[in-house]
Amino acid sequence: MSVHQPTHRGSGFHLPSFRGNRAVPAPGEAVSADAGAFTARAGVLASARVLMGFVFLWAFLDKTFGFGYATASGKGWIDGGSPTEGFLGHVAVGPMESTFHAWAGDAWADWLFMLGLLGVGLALTAGVALRLAALAGTVMMALMWVAEWPPAKHLSDGSASMSTNPFVDYHLIYAVVLIALAAVSAGDALGLGRLWARLPIVRDHRWLR
């Protein structure tokens, strides 16, 4: 809890102010400092964008080729495995449990899921169509959140759910990051966002930005 001290100018003990001893920067120096700060912020946002893009791209590649991480070798999509059957088929809690079981392994679900991973991953990595990527990624994260259903203390069979938080999990955090990256046009730095924004179709339809 923060405590706010009164801001009067009365006498008393004060820490030395190092800012007051500085010389006033020349206009050119101020511009240079502002540019440096902007570059640092842009670099952080670009890094977050690329890393988030890799999260989606890696999930797509691992599920497609079965690199032996989340998807066992020989069980990849290219080998005839289903990217949704394992996850949706094992949903054991939540209001959409039976719905997810019905969707598990369906071709349309596999294609939508994989195209979503690929599309969002490529858009984030390249820095283009971030609004569309944020929308698609948020929908995916929301469905995964419902599939895991963090509010539940127990699964359908009565065993402990082992949920660490009844609301906030990484799916929610990913969704917020996606929305934030789109809101600040994070693709303009170290990405193709500016070139994308100059396309006639994007200029005419800002929602493609």
Side-chain angles (χ1 to χ4, degrees):
M1 179 177 68
S2 60
V3 178
H4 298 282
Q5 300 292 343
T7 57
H8 57 79
R9 297 176 177 269
S11 60
F13 176 76
H14 297 283
L15 292 174
S17 174
F18 297 100
R19 295 180 62 183
N21 298 330
R22 289 182 178 177
V24 177
E29 294 176 351
V31 171
S32 177
D34 290 341
F38 173 78
T39 301
R41 289 193 297 270
V44 170
L45 290 171
S47 298
R49 172 178 55 80
V50 173
L51 289 173
M52 184 62 67
F54 183 71
V55 169
F56 283 84
L57 283 180
W58 175 258
F60 170 81
L61 293 172
D62 185 53
K63 292 179 183 301
T64 298
F65 300 105
F67 290 146
Y69 290 88
T71 305
S73 179
K75 299 292 185 179
W77 196 26
I78 198 172
D79 300 309
S82 171
T84 62
E85 185 174 6
F87 179 67
L88 295 181
H90 289 86
V91 172
V93 69
M96 294 185 63
E97 179 180 352
S98 59
T99 301
F100 286 137
H101 289 173
W103 291 355
D106 283 355
W108 67 268
D110 289 343
W111 277 96
L112 280 180
F113 180 57
M114 295 299 282
L115 288 177
L117 290 177
L118 179 62
V120 174
L122 289 177
L124 289 171
T125 304
V128 302
L130 294 187
R131 294 180 182 179
L132 285 176
L135 175 61
T138 298
V139 171
M140 294 176 67
M141 293 300 104
L143 288 172
M144 292 181 184
W145 187 89
V146 174
E148 296 194 0
W149 200 244
K153 293 182 179 180
H154 299 90
L155 303 179
S156 298
D157 61 3
S159 61
S161 67
M162 303 302 291
S163 175
T164 58
N165 190 297
F167 181 66
V168 180
D169 75 343
Y170 70 96
H171 296 110
L172 182 62
I173 295 173
Y174 283 178
V176 172
V177 171
L178 288 172
I179 294 171
L181 291 174
V184 300
S185 300
D188 291 353
L190 301 179
L192 303 177
R194 295 184 186 277
L195 293 176
W196 176 261
R198 296 192 189 113
L199 296 177
I201 188 173
V202 179
R203 288 201 306 265
D204 296 338
H205 302 86
R206 300 301 297 173
W207 56 273
L208 293 174
R209 180 71 170 83

